[in-house]
Structure formats: structure tokens, C-alpha cells
Amino acid sequence: MKTIDTLIAEGVAGRRVFVRADLNVPLAGDGDAARTITDDGRIRAVLPTLRALLAAGARVVVASHLGRPKGAPEPRFSLAPVAARLGELLGQDVAFAADTDGESARATVAALGDGQVALLENLRFSPGETSKDDAERAAFADRLAELADLYVGDGFGAVHRKHASVFDLPARLPHAAGELIATEVGVLRRLTDEVSRPYAVVLGGAKVSDKLGVIDHLLERADRILVGGGMVFTFLKAQGHEVGSSLLQEDQLPVVREYLERAEKRGVEFVLPVDVVAAASFPDLESKASADPAVVPADAIPAGLMGLDIGPESGALYAAKLADAATVFWNGPMGVFEHPEFAAGTRAVAQGLLDSSAFTVVGGGDSAAAVRLLGFDENAFGHISTGGGASLEYLEGKTLPGLVALED
């Protein structure tokens, strides 16, 4: 895979470089009104690539998706707030095109000088970006290719998507991987090909169905798997325990039982909570009003109560299970971390990673958001990924279209 260093060494001054970034940041605000960025981590992650290109005199055209618009403009998914924040972080103006491949995009790119940068409007405002029709996707890629001379893939959070700007466009231009993707791939190899043991994996999040593939794959590779979040109640139910009104995927019980049996046969330690923090209803995340939480045994959650976090004993247990690990991959919070009454379990896992001497990887998404929301120093972790979904699919052994497209 060619890297940006090689591309710059070959010369980018005065050339238009299309950078496919992942600027899919969370925004606050309702309706179609202008919204504010609540976490700029993904914007900051692409800065090293952009700064290197700009310093080398490239004319940089940045493109990304945001949210899931249905192939047509939706003001609430505009990248305009991202352009403003990107300009602040770069310390220079960022020209903003009001479309992806139309008159505004062409005029904006044509007006760029050496060392200047522009951001196109949300790629998913065009139906060709996400189309399953190869011809429609290719036609959109052709139009994007007219805006650039070179291509740099640096949107790791999108490399598992067979989208026009990720998969089709690199085939039309000389291409290379940006600094972020090179770093992410290097980290993932340390989790698959070059693992230091003991290897512990912490999995959370809402639904066990979202993690079945990665659990199946990791049962052959991990030494220890710790489970929390809403998905844990399907595991507890599979063991025959009462889970009250907690989130439960009954259709997944047979496969979860099979995983537990496989883990026991292979000697993989499966760690489930011994206590949980529960409440009668899901908490109000806006007002942060008290939800009247109660700590209850994980194997006997009372009827009418739902588990919303692992409990204090479980937090201590999980930290202890991480203490002697050499490698830790964490994907998914342990509870509803956005509410202070249900954040302690996620905090305990994050602190456990920091207290260990392991190479620690925070697998993007809500896990990365939790690290920042709970006030941890991001630099204290081995690596915080920008792509939770991409990381999981890589660990499942799946082929990621965006990485295939960047191969020489």
C-alpha cells in the first residue's frame, strides 16, 4: 500500500489532491437548523494528512459523508459546521462547496491556490455515492475524478463501505493511503498478526447481534473476553438468569449459548458481570435527572428493573482481568455512559486500560466518545480508532473495500 510520504516525495505542489476523510462527527441541535459539533475527534484525526499535503503545496479537496441522508440534500446533515471547525484547527480558511460534483464544487476547486483547502458538501447528498448499482456509482466516481489529479484515502471509518468515493474513485486516480489509515492498519495488524499475550477483549454496546461476527472470530484468538453493555443481558439469560426488563435479544440465545460452550472448550475466559446498576426506566439523557438507580445481583435482576450499567463489583473485577493483559481491544461502553448514574462501569474499564501495561486499543464509536466525555487523556491510550465498524469487520476477517482499493 503506497503511503502519503511516497506521494509527497513524488511531488504534489500545484496538484489537486482529493482526500477522502471521515468527518462524520456528532452534531447537537434539532430539525434543519444549523447544528453544533459535540465531538471533533474525527476532524482532528485527519489533520496530520492535510497539514502534510498543504505544506507540500498541494491544492487539497476534502470530501466526506455525514449521517445517513437518502441521496438528496438535507440541511441537518450539511458539512458547513465541519468546514468552519476544520478551518479553526488548520488555522486557515477552508472554502466550502455547496454541492459534491456540480457547479459549486467545480468553481470552488478551480479557485484553489497552492497550499489551500476546500471541503465538498456531504457526499451522501448524491445517490451515486452509496448506490448498489455499479454503473451509477461509477458515474459519480467519474465526476469526482474530474476534480482532482491524485487521491488520498484517509477515511478509516468508511473503508468497510463499497461507496463511490471509497472504492471506485481510487481506481481512477493515482492513489495512496493517508497517515490515519496507515496508522489504523498498523494497529489492527498488532491485534491480529502480531498479538502480545495475554490478549483481552472488552465488548459492550446495545445489541449482541452487532458483535456476533467478531465474537466468533475472537473465540479463536483471544485469551479473555469481557462483556458489558446492553448485549450482556442476552448472555446472562443464556446462562438461565433473570434479567428483568433489560434489553434482550431472545432470537440470539441459541448462538450465545454455543459461544459460551465453545469458549469453555477452547479455554477462553468469558467474563460477565456479577452485579449491575438498574432502574425502572431508561434515563433522560438531556436533563440528566435522577433515574433512582439500584445495584442488584447480575444473576437475579428483579422484574420491572432494567440493567443500565455493570455494577461496582463488576467494574473492579473487569479492571483486575485487564491488569495482567499485554494487549487489550475495547469496543462498546459498559452502560449508558452519557448519564452520570450509569457511567461508572465504562469509567472503570477505561481506567483499567490505563492502569495496565498493555498495548490498548479503543475501538472507535461510542467507546471513543466515552473516553472524551468522561475526561480521560486520549494520548494515554495506545490507540483510539476512528472507525468502530471498520475495526470490527477487520477483526472478523472481512475484506474492507476501501483498503483493497488503496493497494498498489
Side-chain angles (χ1 to χ4, degrees), residues 57 83 96 99 120 126 205 226 253-254 272 277 297 315 328 337 339 352 354 375-376 386:
F96 182 63
D99 56 33
L120 305 181
S126 171
L226 290 65
L253 288 171
L272 300 178
V277 183
V328 181
F337 69 92
H339 194 287
L354 295 182
F376 288 95
T386 58

Side-chain angles (χ1 to χ4, degrees), residues 308-333:
L308 296 165
D309 190 18
I310 62 171
E313 287 188 34
S314 301
L317 170 65
Y318 284 26
K321 294 294 183 180
L322 297 174
D324 66 341
T327 304
V328 181
F329 173 70
W330 172 30
N331 183 281

Side-chain angles (χ1 to χ4, degrees), residues 251-263:
D251 61 322
Q252 302 299 332
L253 288 171
V255 69
V256 166
R257 291 191 185 100
E258 191 266 331
Y259 284 170
L260 290 171
E261 292 171 2
R262 276 177 58 196

Side-chain angles (χ1 to χ4, degrees), residues 34-392:
R35 300 196 288 170
T36 57
I37 298 168
T38 59
D39 183 348
D40 65 0
R42 284 182 171 172
I43 303 175
R44 289 185 284 110
V46 77
L47 292 179
T49 289
L50 299 184
R51 285 174 174 148
L53 289 168
L54 293 170
R59 303 179 181 191
V60 179
V61 182
V62 185
S64 176
H65 70 284
L66 194 157
R68 295 187 177 182
K70 305 301 182 182
E74 295 184 45
R76 66 195 178 106
F77 292 128
S78 174
L79 281 168
V82 175
R85 181 58 179 153
L86 181 60
E88 292 172 355
L89 293 170
L90 286 174
Q92 68 180 81
D93 291 338
V94 172
F96 182 63
D99 56 33
T100 59
D101 59 319
E103 182 177 345
S104 179
R106 290 191 295 271
T108 301
V109 173
L112 286 176
D114 295 359
Q116 293 184 333
V117 58
L119 176 64
L120 305 181
E121 184 53 285
N122 193 333
L123 289 166
R124 291 187 183 176
F125 285 179
S126 171
E129 169 68 359
T130 60
S131 177
K132 297 187 184 301
D133 181 274
D134 290 347
E136 183 179 19
R137 211 175 54 246
F140 182 53
D142 287 339
R143 296 194 296 274
L144 292 176
E146 294 174 0
L147 300 174
D149 305 303
L150 304 167
Y151 176 94
V152 170
D154 214 31
F156 180 72
V159 294
H160 57 312
R161 307 296 186 190
K162 193 177 181 181
H163 291 169
S165 65
V166 175
F167 179 74
D168 301 272
L169 184 55
R172 288 156 170 77
L173 297 168
H175 53 266
E179 292 191 19
L180 175 61
I181 279 190
T183 298
E184 294 273 14
V185 171
V187 166
L188 288 170
R189 285 176 178 156
R190 290 186 65 176
L191 296 177
T192 52
D193 304 331
E194 308 159 8
V195 183
S196 297
R197 298 184 180 279
Y199 179 19
V201 176
V202 186
L203 296 175
K207 295 182 178 180
V208 67
S209 56
D210 294 339
K211 305 287 170 68
L212 290 178
V214 75
I215 294 172
D216 181 66
H217 205 67
L218 288 171
L219 279 172
E220 307 298 320
R221 290 159 179 80
D223 301 302
R224 193 175 297 154
I225 299 176
L226 290 65
V227 182
M231 62 184 285
V232 77
F233 302 105
T234 303
F235 281 89
L236 291 171
K237 185 70 173 180
Q239 291 184 325
H241 304 313
E242 293 301 322
V243 297
S245 58
S246 305
L247 182 64
L248 176 65
Q249 290 187 280
E250 293 201 42
D251 61 322
Q252 302 299 332
L253 288 171
V255 69
V256 166
R257 291 191 185 100
E258 191 266 331
Y259 284 170
L260 290 171
E261 292 171 2
R262 276 177 58 196
E264 185 174 3
K265 290 178 181 177
R266 292 191 61 82
V268 177
E269 185 179 7
F270 233 104
V271 184
L272 300 178
V274 294
D275 60 348
V276 301
V277 183
S281 61
F282 197 84
D284 186 334
L285 300 184
E286 291 296 327
S287 69
K288 302 293 193 297
S290 175
D292 195 20
V295 177
V296 299
D299 60 359
I301 301 172
L305 291 185
M306 63 174 63
L308 296 165
D309 190 18
I310 62 171
E313 287 188 34
S314 301
L317 170 65
Y318 284 26
K321 294 294 183 180
L322 297 174
D324 66 341
T327 304
V328 181
F329 173 70
W330 172 30
N331 183 281
M334 297 295 97
V336 187
F337 69 92
E338 301 93 339
H339 194 287
E341 291 174 335
F342 307 104
T346 301
R347 184 183 296 279
V349 165
Q351 189 62 53
L353 265 65
L354 295 182
D355 291 342
S356 78
S357 59
F359 172 63
T360 57
V361 179
V362 180
D366 285 341
S367 309
V371 164
R372 289 188 275 268
L373 181 66
L374 298 177
F376 288 95
D377 178 5
E378 297 176 59
N379 296 322
F381 297 88
H383 178 70
I384 296 183
S385 178
T386 58
S391 296
L392 288 176

